[in-house]
Amino acid sequence: MIETDVAVTSGLRLTCSRDELAEQLALVSRAVSTRSAVQVLQGVLLRAEGGRLHLAATDMELSLRASLEADVTEEGAVVVPGRLLGDISRLLPEGEVSLGAKPDEGSLHVECGTASYRVQAYSVEDFPRLPEVDTVQTFEIEGPALLETIGRVSRAASRDESRPVLTGVLVQLEGQKLVMAATDSYRLAVKETELAAAGPALEAIVPARALGELARIAGDAESIELGVLENQIVFHVDGVWLTTRRIDGQFPNYRQLLPESFEHEVRASRSELTDVVRRVSVMAERSNPLRLRFAEGELTASTQTPDVGEARESLPIEFGGEPLEIGFNPSFLREGIESIDADEVVLRLISPLRPVVIQGASDDYTYLLMPIRLPG
């Protein structure tokens, strides 16, 4: 357990593996604030206790905690600049690292081989109290299923912090069904996943950034623990604790955004369509739309940028009826096609001013994309 309101009173002294220290510092330092003017949020809390060195960092939205084995001769705590200590640990020569802190000096001494550093410390009392995770009730969820769902949905979350709700991912658990949805108001991604075992009911808006960090940490983990603690969501995987605040607000009713019927259904090779969109998008600068023109037996992608040039490429498809031309944000379109986990992609269309729905062979994943109005 990491108590974040206890100052260093007996100093801190330990030795540990350089490689393990560098690895864990690199992990927790991703939660260090890079924008806050509060210095202590740029720090990593080091606490030596019970034969381990515990590390923690937070930017008040996300916190990461990890630990490693250490030969502790004096228990205590210190907060030091996280990125700086991480850089130092990566550059140290091979061997054991000695860390020492004295309360009257207000600094951390780092020694390894003939290298030595003195790093100015922050006040431990100023480090935020992190959510207590020792007593939180968690349940296991299949790692591959959760991570795949995160990877296919979170890309649609907004990066505009003026609308906090849209920077999150709606996470719903009901029985053995996991549903995630994200939208930036221009596109929507929804994934339903069947789990092997049922979990407790849950509905929360989780910051997309936190889910991205979870995916980075978890790697190919077979299982991930998930829990709820007041206004926090807690994840535990391979000895690492990630906590993140729940985003307050009402997530859009995404089901109402999905059209009930379509005028056209076009099927194409996912790899071929992806390649065409990528090649043509090279010329789509300055937010110019990529045009898709559906005509008898042919789909043509094109774009034209003043003072740059134009591109056009076609591929054969099955399409009947009057030609239909519709414009899209090139990056959003490419990401939607790439998110389909199937050899064939299905484009469901209504009109040039109505959204397109992109799916694969099954309907457990849906990517909806709003069009861009074309001139004329």
Side-chain angles (χ1 to χ4, degrees):
M1 180 174 67
I2 300 177
E3 294 287 351
T4 60
D5 60 346
V6 179
V8 177
T9 57
S10 58
L12 175 151
R13 188 162 299 280
L14 61 92
T15 58
C16 63
S17 161
R18 179 204 65 174
D19 292 343
E20 289 188 25
L21 176 64
E23 179 182 352
Q24 301 302 336
L25 276 170
L27 190 155
V28 300
S29 291
R30 295 189 62 84
V32 167
S33 176
T34 57
R35 292 179 294 180
S36 175
V38 181
Q39 274 195 330
V40 76
L41 295 182
Q42 301 171 22
V44 169
L45 171 69
L46 306 179
R47 182 169 182 84
E49 184 179 67
R52 299 191 70 83
L53 174 62
H54 301 271
L55 303 90
T58 181
D59 61 3
M60 302 303 290
E61 177 184 278
L62 170 76
S63 71
L64 287 169
R65 278 172 272 191
S67 67
L68 61 140
E69 290 186 1
D71 182 6
V72 178
T73 53
E74 286 187 58
E75 295 187 348
V78 65
V79 180
V80 292
R83 299 291 170 86
L84 176 59
L85 186 60
D87 290 341
I88 291 172
S89 66
R90 286 193 299 273
L91 296 171
L92 290 172
E94 293 187 9
E96 292 287 298
V97 179
S98 172
L99 302 178
K102 295 180 180 179
D104 56 337
E105 288 185 355
S107 60
L108 175 72
H109 292 267
V110 182
E111 297 180 358
C112 183
T114 59
S116 64
Y117 297 83
R118 186 178 68 85
V119 181
Q120 197 69 28
Y122 304 138
S123 170
V124 174
E125 289 92 337
D126 292 340
F127 193 83
R129 172 181 285 275
L130 301 182
E132 296 287 351
V133 295
D134 291 353
T135 58
V136 65
Q137 290 188 335
T138 63
F139 66 95
E140 286 192 0
I141 189 169
E142 301 155 59
L146 177 61
L147 298 177
E148 182 204 4
T149 305
I150 291 172
R152 297 176 69 184
V153 169
S154 60
R155 69 182 68 197
S158 175
R159 293 172 176 80
D160 182 1
E161 296 184 1
S162 66
R163 302 181 67 186
V165 167
L166 299 188
T167 66
V169 175
L170 177 66
V171 180
Q172 296 175 317
L173 266 172
E174 186 173 344
Q176 291 181 235
K177 180 182 287 188
L178 167 67
V179 179
M180 287 191 182
T183 180
D184 57 6
S185 76
Y186 301 104
R187 54 184 172 162
L188 164 71
V190 182
K191 176 74 169 70
E192 296 185 1
T193 304
E194 288 294 328
L195 303 176
L202 169 68
E203 180 169 325
I205 305 173
V206 183
R209 175 194 164 214
L211 294 177
E213 291 298 335
L214 175 65
R216 187 190 303 271
I217 293 166
D220 56 358
E222 289 298 316
S223 66
I224 297 171
E225 294 180 56
L226 188 155
V228 179
L229 187 65
E230 297 178 353
N231 65 335
Q232 301 276 329
I233 300 293
V234 179
F235 298 96
H236 182 234
V237 58
D238 293 337
V240 179
W241 289 94
L242 184 155
T243 57
T244 183
R245 64 174 181 83
R246 299 169 68 159
I247 298 176
D248 294 328
Q250 184 67 40
F251 195 84
N253 187 340
Y254 64 88
R255 298 187 188 279
Q256 292 183 348
L257 302 176
L258 299 173
E260 296 181 355
S261 61
F262 302 90
E263 294 296 322
H264 305 280
E265 184 176 288
V266 177
R267 298 175 181 270
S269 164
R270 174 187 175 275
S271 60
E272 290 180 6
L273 183 56
T274 300
D275 289 343
V276 168
V277 170
R278 281 177 176 169
R279 287 192 288 263
V280 175
S281 296
V282 170
M283 301 298 289
E285 296 185 2
R286 302 175 188 172
S287 303
N288 276 8
L290 185 144
R291 297 168 178 254
L292 294 183
R293 186 176 189 275
F294 299 86
E296 189 73 34
E298 184 180 66
L299 167 59
T300 301
S302 66
T303 188
Q304 184 177 25
T305 304
D307 303 324
V308 176
E310 59 186 68
R312 179 184 303 270
E313 187 172 350
S314 301
L315 73 158
I317 60 166
E318 291 187 8
F319 184 86
E322 292 296 317
L324 170 66
E325 188 171 45
I326 186 169
F328 296 108
N329 177 296
S331 296
F332 291 175
L333 177 62
R334 187 192 71 250
E335 289 183 1
I337 298 169
E338 290 176 345
S339 66
I340 300 301
D341 185 20
D343 293 335
E344 187 178 64
V345 62
V346 182
L347 305 178
R348 295 187 165 91
L349 305 152
I350 302 173
S351 73
L353 300 180
R354 297 291 301 280
V356 62
V357 168
I358 304 174
Q359 292 181 312
S362 64
D363 60 359
D364 64 348
Y365 177 75
T366 300
Y367 187 95
L368 178 146
L369 179 59
M370 298 297 295
I372 296 175
R373 182 185 293 272
L374 298 174

